[in-house]
Structure formats: structure tokens, C-alpha cells
Amino acid sequence: MVAVSPAPGLVALLDNDDTTLQVFALTKLNAVVDQVWPDVSDEVTAIEVLYEDESFPQRELAALVASKVYYHLGDYIQSTSYALGAGKLFNIDTKDEYVETIISQCIDSWVSQTRSIGNTKVDPRLVDVVDRMLQRCFDDHEYKQAIGIALEARQRSLLIRIFEEAKDDTLLQHVLDVTIETVHDLEFRRQVLTTLLDAFKQQVAPDYLAIVRCIIVLDDANTAAGILSNLLSQNDDVSLLTAYQMAFDLESSATQQFLQRVAGALKAIRSSTSSEKQLTKILSGEVTIRLYLSFLQRNDRSDVAILDKIKDSLEARNSIFHSGVTFCNAFMHAGTTSDGFFRNNLDWLSKASNWSKFSATAALGVIHKGNLRHAATLLGPYLPKESGRGSAYSEGGSLYALGLIHANHGAPVLQQLLREFGRTTDEVIQHGAALGLGVAGMATADDNIYESLKNVLFGDSAVAGEATGLAMGLVMLGTNSQQAIEEMLQYAHETQHEKIVRGLAMGLALLVYGREREADTLIEQLCKDDDPQLRYGGMYAIALAYSGTGHTQAFERLLHFAVADVHDDVRRAAVTALGFVMYRNQQTLCRTIGLLHESYNPHVRYGAAMALGIACAGTASPDALELIEPMTKDATEFVRQGAFIALAMILVQHNDQTNPKVVEARKLFRDTISNKHQDAVSKFGASLASGILDAGGRNVTMRLSSATGSNNRQAIVGMAVFTSFWYWFPLAHFLSLAFTPTAIVALDTDLRAPKLQFVSNSKPSAFAYPPVTTKEENKAAEKVATAVLSTTARAKARAKKAEKEKTETEDIMDLDDKPAADEASLAHNHDRAKPAKSSLEPGFEHLDNLSRVVPWQLKHIAFKPDARYLPVRRPTGGVLLMRDTQPDAPREFVELLPEPPEIIEALDEQEAAVPSEFEYPFDNE
């Protein structure tokens, strides 16, 4: 039997003049409206009339029923309006879909009104609903929901109220992460971070790592100096270690200019003591560089056999192949000071000419990166001389190398580079000196350097102008200097040289690094320019200004240019830039790239590969690898090149245990290089990829975020400039700026590295170095020789007597069979031994100080509670200060590896020259 709906009868009562019957009808309708709303919807005007009648005693009830009817009709705006009219009858504690939807609408409306017209003019009914919602969050201890509302509405006072209500310090870290990643309004972000900084400082045990993040984003050098000074004033070892740790954390993330301001402020408020001098030394980067240099030397696991195989497979007289081997060697030995490959292959090296010679000399800067003390000695034979008899390409490359050695710590050499830059008129030397000045003087905002670069730029030399335009942006990195923007943009429109325009375009992008909305004016100018090279710069301006923010408008603008711009370079740059903007949200990026990586335009496909490599570097992301794999087989050679490089970036430092695809990747690169039918562009990409995969002696990774969680400025800038190798190979060396050593370096109060051990609670094979390449090619050669001898013997045997022929044939067969049998026996024994080794492998290992610890291994690292040395904070990789629980006991320290003998002899004799066998066989020009 079909049930009869009560709605018609109840609706009819609404037209009755008796108020009691009307209230009765509304009460009943409120209870059943979710089921009978189709019957009520036609008469909803009658309910609205009752609500508008001010004399009706149950207006709020009428509003509630009308709200529910409009909700079911899908008109959420009207529904929300009547829900607000229902007052207290709208019960936010009821957890159903209707209530949740209306609350969401109310919050959105409140946020919109608060941000546009201020608190004083917001609808008080909205305020009431939001207040009740916040109280419900407090009662249910759902503080993160309340924090989201406060941040969305930009209500600092509400945020403080939440902190006071919750009394939970763990919420501070949550707010810090959310603020840095999602709050795009710069002024409100500063307000929140200032509030957080005050809250962190008031903690019983302050989180100094979080304090460092706040200080760097706020660019507050005085506060940093004040905290360091207060820690030093406490005169105890724990406070001293904490101050040192904070200084190391600042040094790993801040700019040269900021660190100099901190050191200056610290000097102004404290007398010069040994502790203050140590802090200044840490802030200068000197200590960190020395420690990382020792770590990379001690743990160098470079597989030279891979490099030799690449060299033997590629024709050295072909410039692109020679450069490919040079970059592979530079990346593979970055920071290790191991230049043996160059020493042992002087004949190959002598085949370099012109810009290949420039790149090869500059590769010394990557290999010896951080070797500040001996830079002049190492590069002495190649630096410009008063006689002017050297090769311009070698001299220019050496100045570039000098800058790379002092990357981001250029104070000792900036004057020397500036002097060499100013006194030469050779555009090749000017090119190298400008790049050296840019990388060594990065973010110093030095006006003298900027003016010197500008003067050479106005000389309108295409070769020198490209480098000076880029260097101007590097020196003024992130300053958003309006004067620099006007001068560079004006000259970009005046010059006729495409190379200069391209250098200036990237330089302009570097000027607005990290400026977000402050960069919008320049971005708008570049994106609307008729010159595609300046639009190309506009894409990188978006990438650098909004790096890591996931900003919706920046994301949408890049997608627009990726599919709509008429120039392939701009489209490629737009897709590549997505990797910088979205690197903190890799899932969204992979979904987007999934729509672009099969584009008909190969430049878009190349950009898609590079975006994945940049954003997912070192993560071995399965989603990214799934998208990259088909691109390694693309029909277009430069798409394959980009896919190879991106694949190596994603898999850097992984082994067959953490991701088996790394074995396939190595084989792919090896086969591509050795295959004679492969094109030169793909082989070049595979060469670079091979170096990236084993970068820094297999002891460095690539990440766009630092250990403190903030943007890794050096890595972001390095990767951005590296992508310009598409036009100019020498810029590939900038990728070395993105290499971050993966070590735990434990120090005591004297900044010395004690001998200690810590535990990695995982199998040793899980994070072990990849195995060394075996030389199977020699075995293959022996087999071929045996087969030839056997055939020859059979041919001769036919002419002999039958009995002798039979005997010799048997002997030959035995000779042929023996190697196969031996190999089978060896393989069997090897396979049988494998399980035994695996079954006996322990579930943990002890690591010594200055050991490699990859980022995904950090969660397994532990220090025994009864150990002599205990860390002052949780390990995040890098330098870690340790508290000595037995200060009176004898101490042993790690013996750092000595410098190469040749360098030590040169220093003892106070000579600038190095031994003759170290000089490269470049012909003087």
C-alpha cells in the first residue's frame, strides 16, 4: 500500500489564520521536510511570507524550514540566508550533510567579507555561526580546523586565541608548515610568523629549528643575533651547542647578505670572545664547507669504470661528445677534489677546443667545489697572466671555475674576479669572469659588481653580454630592485642580440626570486612582451617568484602559456616552470603532467620531463617514474635527452633495494651511449644522466627544500640556470649548486668531530652504495679469441690423417667447453652464496661519524640513550651538535683526510704552480 504524504495537508494549514495551526504545521514540516521537500517546494513562498511577517512568533522556525527546502533544491545561497535567519534553531552540532554544507557556506561568506570589508561590517549573524562553530572545535579539540579558518580569514587575533585555548606546542609547527606553504598574502604571512616566533621563544624547550625557519622568511637578522647572544650569555655547554646548531641551520638556508648582517649585529651587541668568533666562522660557511669537503673526500665511491666506458664509446673530436664526458666527470666527482680522470686521460683532454676547452677548465670548479683554501693553487696555471700568452678559453673557464669553487661564499675572490673582469677586453674571458662573479657573488646585492657588469653589458658584445645579463640577476638575486629591472628590461628591448636578450631574461627572473605577489608587475610585463625570449624569461620569473608555493594563479598562468603560446621555447619553459612552483605538491604535478607528457608538441613533452625531474628529484616517485618511462623511448631525440636527465634526477642516490628501476636506468644509459645508431643528442643526455646518478661520489642528493624545510635557494637557482644548457652548454655546471651532501657530521663544543657511532635501524643493504661496475668486456674478448683459434685449428686438421684429425678435434672441443663449464660453475657458486649472505644480514648497522645518511634513511637513525654523545636536536641531516655526557673522559677525534700531496707541497713552498703533470694539454692561442 502506497503511503500518503502528509505534506499537502500541512502546507494547507500554513494559509490558516490561526497562528497555533501555522506553528503546528511548521513544526511537523521541519521534522519531515527531508523526505517530502518535493511536495513542499511548490508552496515555499507561503513559508517565506511567514518568515517576513515580523508579528509571527515563530519566524526562526519558518526560516529553518525554508532553508532546508532551498538546500534540497540546490540553491545554497538562499538556503544559507534563511539558515542565518533561523538563529539558534540552526543547530551546528547536528552532524548531517545539510548542516555541514551550510556551515561551509557561512564560513566562506564570513572569510570573504572579513578579508574585503573588515571585521566591523561583517553580518553579525555570520559572526554568530562562526563563533559557535569555533566553540564546537574547541570543545572537540579540533584545533586544526579552527586554525584553517583563522588563516583563511587572515585573522591573527583568532590565531592567538586558538593558541591560548589549546595550550599545545605541537600546533605551532603545524601552523608554521601551513603558513609557509599556503598563505600567499605577504603581509599577513609576516604577521603570523612574527606571532609564531614569539610563541616559539616562550616555550620551555624552544624549537630552534622552527625559529630559524621563521627568521629566514622574516629576514630578521637582528632577532637572530639577539637569540644567539642570549644563548651565549647563559654560559653552559647545552646553550653553547644550541647556539652553534642554530648558526649552522641559518648558514644552510640563508643568503650571504643575511648571514653577514647577522654576524655584524652579533658583533655590535657582544664583545669579541672565542665563542662569538666561532659563531662568526660558522655563519661565514667556512666550517660547513671544510666538513663537507672532508666527508666527500673520505666517502668518494665514484665508479671510474663507468666514466671510462663513456669516454671510450664517444668520439672525443666531436664537441658535443667531449662536453658530455666533461660534464659527466664534473658531476660524478663534484666536491670530491678527485680530478684523476683528467690526469689519466691527457690525450683525450687535448682534443678539446674552443668552448669545449672552456667547459673542461670550468669543470675543475665543480670537482673542487668548496676547496676555498687551495683554489688559487689549483687554477694557477690557467688563470689570466700578465703576459697574456694563455688560451682565452682556458682563462675564461678558469675564472668561471674560481666562482664555482666559491659558490655562495665568494668574499675571498670577488675582488680578484672583478679585477680580471675589468682589465680584459676579450669577450671569452669576460664571459667566464661574469659567470664567476655571478655564482660567487650570488645574492650579495653588491652595487659595485652590478655596475661593472652593466658597463660591459652596454658594450653590446653577444658573448660577454649573455653572461653579464645572467650575472646581474645572480648578484641581485631576490632583491626585486626596480632600478635594475628598468635598466635590464630597457636594454633587452634595445639590443639586437638574441643571446643578450636571453641572458637578461633569465637575469630578470632571478631578480624576483621568492618575491611572490611583489613580482607580479614584472611578470605581467614579460608575459605580454612581443619578444618570445622575454616571455621565456616571464615563465622563469613565475617559477622563481612562486617556487614551492603551489600558488593557484601562477599554476594556471603557466598552464595557459604551455598550451597557448605560439613559440616553442616559451611553451617548453612554461611546462618546466611547473616543477618549481609545484615541487611541494608532487601528486598534483604528476596528474597535470599526465595530461601534457603525450602532447603532439615535442617541446612540451621535453618540458614535462624536466618538470618531473626538478620537482621529484631524489624521491624515486613511482608516479613520476611511470610518466618518465615512455618518454625515454620518444621518437624525438631531445625529448629522450630530457627524459634521461629527469630519470637520473629522480633516482639519484637510490639503489636496487630502495627502487629496482635504478638498475634498468643504468643499463638504459649505458646502452644508449654505446649504441652506434643512437643520435648525438640522446647520447649527450645519457652522459649527463650517468654523472647525475652518481653525483658527488654517490654522496649527494638533489632537493629543492633544505633541511629546515624552507626553499633551498641555491638548489632552485642552480636548477633554473642549468635548464639553459639547452642554448649554452657551459651553463650545465650550475647544476652542481643543487648538490647537497647527505651526511651526519657530529661536532662537539670545540667544533671538532669526535669518534662516535649511531644506529641505522634497517638492513645494511637497504641504503648501501651501488656495486662497482664489473669488467665483463674482457671476458667477452677471450671467448671470441678462443672461437677463432678453434675454427683455424679445424681448417688445418682436415688436411691431416683421419686419426690425428679426430684427436685434434676432440682437443679443440675440450678447449671450447672448458671456459663455459668454468663460467657455469662460478655462476652456480655465486647464486648459491647469495641466499646465505641475505639470510645472515642483520636488521641494523652501526655508522661512524661523517657517514653517508640518505634523506629517506633519517627516520631509521637513532642514538643510544646511554651513548657518550647525544644530539641537541633530532637529526635532519648535515651538521649535528652533540652533548658530551662524559666530559672528563679522554676523547678521540675523526682524522680528516689530508689534501692531495701536490697541493700540500705547493703550499709549503708558497708557490702558485702545480706539478707539470696536472697541467692540461691545451694549446695556447
Side-chain angles (χ1 to χ4, degrees):
M1 185 176 178
V2 179
V4 178
S5 172
L10 294 174
V11 170
L13 292 177
L14 296 177
D15 295 328
N16 197 294
D17 294 334
D18 190 341
T19 302
T20 305
L21 291 177
Q22 291 173 333
V23 172
F24 172 80
L26 287 173
T27 304
K28 293 296 184 180
L29 283 173
N30 185 47
V32 298
V33 69
D34 292 333
Q35 291 78 38
V36 301
W37 66 268
D39 298 325
V40 181
S41 60
D42 291 336
E43 301 295 335
V44 71
T45 52
I47 302 174
E48 292 177 299
V49 168
L50 292 177
Y51 167 68
E52 293 169 0
D53 183 0
E54 295 184 1
S55 63
F56 184 66
Q58 291 293 334
R59 292 182 62 215
E60 293 181 347
L61 180 59
L64 183 61
V65 175
S67 173
K68 291 181 178 181
V69 173
Y70 278 113
Y71 164 74
H72 287 293
L73 289 171
D75 189 344
Y76 296 142
I77 296 177
Q78 280 285 68
S79 179
T80 302
S81 176
Y82 282 111
L84 292 175
K88 300 296 183 182
L89 291 182
F90 176 65
N91 185 8
I92 64 171
D93 295 327
T94 304
K95 295 183 178 180
D96 58 27
E97 187 176 346
Y98 161 70
V99 172
E100 296 297 333
T101 302
I102 299 305
I103 288 176
S104 177
Q105 291 287 322
C106 288
I107 292 174
D108 289 344
S109 299
W110 177 74
V111 167
S112 178
Q113 292 185 29
T114 301
R115 292 170 61 171
S116 60
I117 62 178
N119 283 331
T120 56
K121 299 180 181 179
V122 175
D123 188 336
R125 299 177 302 170
L126 280 175
V127 175
D128 178 65
V129 172
V130 172
D131 285 344
R132 285 190 287 152
M133 181 61 194
L134 289 171
Q135 189 58 51
R136 192 181 88 174
C137 291
F138 295 156
D139 295 340
D140 297 341
H141 301 288
E142 296 288 348
Y143 297 112
K144 289 184 179 180
Q145 292 184 14
I147 287 170
I149 295 172
L151 292 177
E152 188 70 21
R154 300 177 188 169
Q155 292 289 302
R156 181 185 180 188
S157 58
L158 177 57
L159 200 59
I160 295 173
R161 175 186 164 194
I162 294 169
F163 291 157
E164 293 173 349
E165 183 77 25
K167 295 182 174 62
D168 183 359
D169 287 344
T170 60
L171 287 178
L172 298 178
Q173 186 64 51
H174 169 74
V175 175
L176 177 59
D177 293 336
V178 172
T179 300
I180 291 177
E181 294 178 14
T182 65
V183 176
H184 303 308
D185 184 273
L186 296 181
E187 181 58 33
F188 179 64
R189 182 192 296 173
R190 290 186 63 85
Q191 293 177 10
V192 174
L193 291 177
T194 302
T195 302
L196 288 172
L197 184 58
D198 293 338
F200 280 124
K201 289 193 293 185
Q202 293 172 7
Q203 289 178 319
V204 176
D207 185 347
Y208 287 99
L209 186 62
I211 288 174
V212 166
R213 292 181 68 186
C214 293
I215 286 173
I216 290 175
V217 177
L218 291 170
D219 194 34
D220 192 348
N222 291 328
T223 298
I227 294 173
L228 291 172
S229 178
N230 290 337
L231 288 169
L232 293 179
S233 301
Q234 296 180 28
N235 294 323
D236 63 271
D237 285 348
V238 174
S239 298
L240 179 63
L241 289 169
T242 303
Y244 288 165
Q245 185 69 67
M246 182 177 170
F248 277 114
D249 293 338
L250 283 169
E251 191 277 331
S252 69
S253 302
T255 65
Q256 293 184 72
Q257 185 189 41
F258 179 83
L259 295 172
Q260 290 168 3
R261 286 193 283 123
V262 173
L266 185 64
K267 186 176 181 180
I269 60 179
R270 283 191 64 84
S271 58
S272 181
T273 62
S274 59
S275 299
E276 193 270 335
K277 290 178 180 178
Q278 291 282 52
L279 274 178
T280 302
K281 188 184 296 185
I282 293 170
L283 292 171
S284 72
E286 178 185 334
V287 179
T288 305
I289 290 172
R290 177 172 56 85
L291 292 170
Y292 280 155
L293 194 65
S294 298
F295 160 71
L296 292 173
Q297 286 181 0
R298 289 170 58 90
N299 298 277
D300 183 11
R301 298 295 191 277
S302 302
D303 194 343
V304 183
I306 296 176
L307 201 54
D308 288 336
K309 179 67 175 176
I310 295 172
K311 175 184 70 68
D312 294 339
S313 300
L314 301 178
E315 173 54 51
R317 293 197 180 276
N318 189 324
S319 176
I320 188 173
F321 290 155
H322 198 287
S323 295
V325 178
T326 296
F327 294 134
C328 180
N329 174 47
F331 295 157
M332 194 176 287
H333 295 101
T336 64
T337 70
S338 175
D339 48 30
F341 178 79
F342 281 160
R343 296 169 183 255
N344 299 331
N345 295 278
L346 298 179
D347 290 339
W348 168 86
L349 196 59
S350 66
K351 297 177 183 178
S353 62
N354 299 334
W355 290 106
S356 294
K357 185 185 298 183
F358 179 93
S359 296
T361 311
L364 278 175
V366 178
I367 294 171
H368 291 277
K369 183 174 180 286
N371 197 356
L372 311 184
R373 185 177 179 185
H374 305 120
T377 305
L378 289 162
L379 299 174
Y382 322 110
L383 290 170
K385 301 176 179 62
E386 295 291 342
S387 61
R389 293 165 51 190
S391 164
Y393 293 99
S394 294
E395 292 178 354
S398 67
L399 292 172
Y400 184 15
L402 191 62
L404 288 168
I405 289 175
H406 293 80
N408 203 37
H409 297 89
V413 295
L414 284 177
Q415 291 306 313
Q416 178 185 356
L417 286 168
L418 195 58
R419 185 171 59 253
E420 297 293 347
F421 180 70
R423 75 177 188 178
T424 185
T425 57
D426 189 295
E427 62 181 7
V428 176
I429 299 176
Q430 287 177 334
H431 184 93
L435 292 177
L437 280 169
V439 72
M442 188 189 304
T444 57
D446 190 309
D447 290 332
N448 291 331
I449 297 176
Y450 173 81
E451 289 297 326
S452 298
L453 291 167
K454 184 177 70 173
N455 292 336
V456 172
L457 173 72
F458 289 166
D460 208 40
S461 164
V463 173
E466 180 179 27
T468 52
L470 176 61
M472 289 162 72
L474 287 168
V475 171
M476 305 298 286
L477 179 69
T479 60
N480 196 30
S481 168
Q482 294 305 307
Q483 179 185 350
I485 289 173
E486 290 175 9
E487 292 173 343
M488 293 169 71
L489 197 56
Q490 181 180 352
Y491 194 75
H493 286 126
E494 292 176 359
T495 185
Q496 299 299 312
H497 294 292
E498 184 177 311
K499 289 172 70 70
I500 295 179
V501 176
R502 190 160 52 240
L504 286 169
M506 183 59 77
L508 285 165
L510 292 166
L511 280 173
V512 293
Y513 168 81
R515 306 302 293 203
E516 298 186 25
R517 291 188 177 178
E518 293 178 6
D520 284 350
T521 303
L522 175 62
I523 290 172
E524 194 71 23
Q525 286 178 279
L526 293 175
C527 290
K528 289 184 177 180
D529 203 284
D530 292 336
D531 190 332
Q533 297 302 327
L534 289 177
R535 296 203 303 278
Y536 170 91
M539 300 305 101
Y540 278 97
I542 297 173
L544 296 174
Y546 289 97
S547 182
T549 63
H551 194 274
T552 304
Q553 292 178 353
F555 181 67
E556 291 175 350
R557 174 172 276 183
L558 289 172
L559 283 178
H560 169 74
F561 278 93
V563 299
D565 199 274
V566 296
H567 201 278
D568 286 336
D569 287 358
V570 180
R571 298 182 69 176
R572 184 182 66 250
V575 182
T576 302
L578 290 172
F580 291 97
V581 175
M582 302 300 294
Y583 83 82
R584 295 185 189 274
N585 194 344
Q586 295 174 9
Q587 290 184 342
T588 301
L589 176 68
C590 288
R591 286 198 300 269
T592 304
I593 295 299
L595 304 174
L596 297 173
H597 82 295
E598 294 181 349
S599 168
Y600 73 91
N601 189 318
H603 291 266
V604 172
R605 299 200 299 273
Y606 177 94
M610 293 303 293
L612 289 172
I614 290 166
C616 304
T619 63
S621 166
D623 293 337
L625 291 172
E626 184 179 353
L627 293 169
I628 285 288
E629 187 174 359
M631 285 191 275
T632 60
K633 304 170 186 176
D634 197 277
T636 306
E637 69 280 1
F638 64 78
V639 177
R640 293 198 298 274
Q641 179 194 87
F644 292 156
I645 294 171
L647 183 60
M649 287 180 174
I650 295 169
L651 291 174
V652 64
Q653 279 206 315
H654 284 271
N655 60 17
D656 59 348
Q657 299 294 315
T658 55
N659 197 307
K661 288 187 179 293
V662 72
V663 179
E664 301 173 16
R666 290 184 183 278
K667 184 177 184 303
L668 174 64
F669 302 153
R670 185 171 62 247
D671 292 347
T672 301
I673 292 169
S674 60
N675 188 344
K676 294 182 179 180
H677 302 291
Q678 281 283 359
D679 58 277
V681 174
S682 296
K683 288 185 176 184
F684 179 77
S687 300
L688 263 64
S690 298
I692 293 169
L693 201 56
D694 292 333
R698 297 177 169 174
N699 290 302
V700 300
T701 189
M702 300 168 66
R703 289 285 178 88
L704 296 190
S705 60
S706 66
T708 61
S710 56
N711 282 348
N712 186 343
R713 174 183 41 79
Q714 211 172 292
I716 292 171
V717 171
M719 282 198 185
V721 179
F722 164 74
T723 58
S724 295
F725 84 88
W726 174 279
Y727 305 102
W728 193 236
F729 282 170
L731 297 181
H733 285 313
F734 269 82
L735 188 64
S736 63
L737 301 183
F739 295 160
T740 303
T742 51
I744 286 184
V745 182
L747 302 179
D748 63 5
T749 52
D750 298 324
L751 298 184
R752 300 180 65 183
K755 287 187 176 180
L756 56 83
Q757 286 190 329
F758 50 92
V759 181
S760 175
N761 290 308
S762 60
K763 293 182 178 181
S765 63
F767 305 107
Y769 288 99
V772 178
T773 305
T774 56
K775 297 184 178 180
E776 298 176 353
E777 56 272 14
N778 294 335
K779 294 182 181 178
E782 291 174 5
K783 292 179 184 179
V784 172
T786 302
V788 172
L789 291 173
S790 174
T791 304
T792 305
R794 290 193 192 96
K796 292 179 179 179
R798 294 190 189 99
K800 297 181 181 181
K801 295 180 181 180
E803 184 178 353
K804 189 176 182 180
E805 179 181 355
K806 180 179 179 182
T807 303
E808 289 183 356
T809 303
E810 290 175 354
D811 291 340
I812 293 166
M813 291 177 67
D814 289 340
L815 287 172
D816 285 342
D817 290 340
K818 281 180 182 178
D822 291 342
E823 287 179 16
S825 175
L826 287 171
H828 174 72
N829 291 335
H830 180 66
D831 291 340
R832 186 175 60 182
K834 269 187 176 179
K837 181 179 178 181
S838 177
S839 62
L840 296 175
E841 186 178 14
F844 66 95
E845 65 176 324
H846 290 95
L847 299 175
D848 296 321
N849 196 2
L850 270 82
S851 290
R852 183 184 86 149
V853 178
V854 294
W856 43 96
Q857 186 181 4
L858 285 170
K859 62 184 178 182
H860 301 288
I861 297 300
F863 290 83
K864 293 182 178 179
D866 58 347
R868 175 176 178 176
Y869 293 97
L870 296 175
V872 296
R873 67 160 170 81
R874 59 183 176 84
T876 58
V879 179
L880 187 63
L881 273 295
M882 309 295 289
R883 177 170 55 88
D884 188 355
T885 60
Q886 303 171 27
D888 298 328
R891 294 184 294 173
E892 293 184 89
F893 297 98
V894 176
E895 183 179 354
L896 303 181
L897 290 181
E899 301 288 351
E902 301 91 338
I903 298 174
I904 293 174
E905 290 172 10
L907 286 173
D908 291 341
E909 298 170 6
Q910 295 185 351
E911 295 179 358
V914 293
S916 58
E917 66 268 22
F918 186 62
E919 295 188 23
Y920 297 165
F922 292 153
D923 296 329
N924 291 339
E925 296 181 351

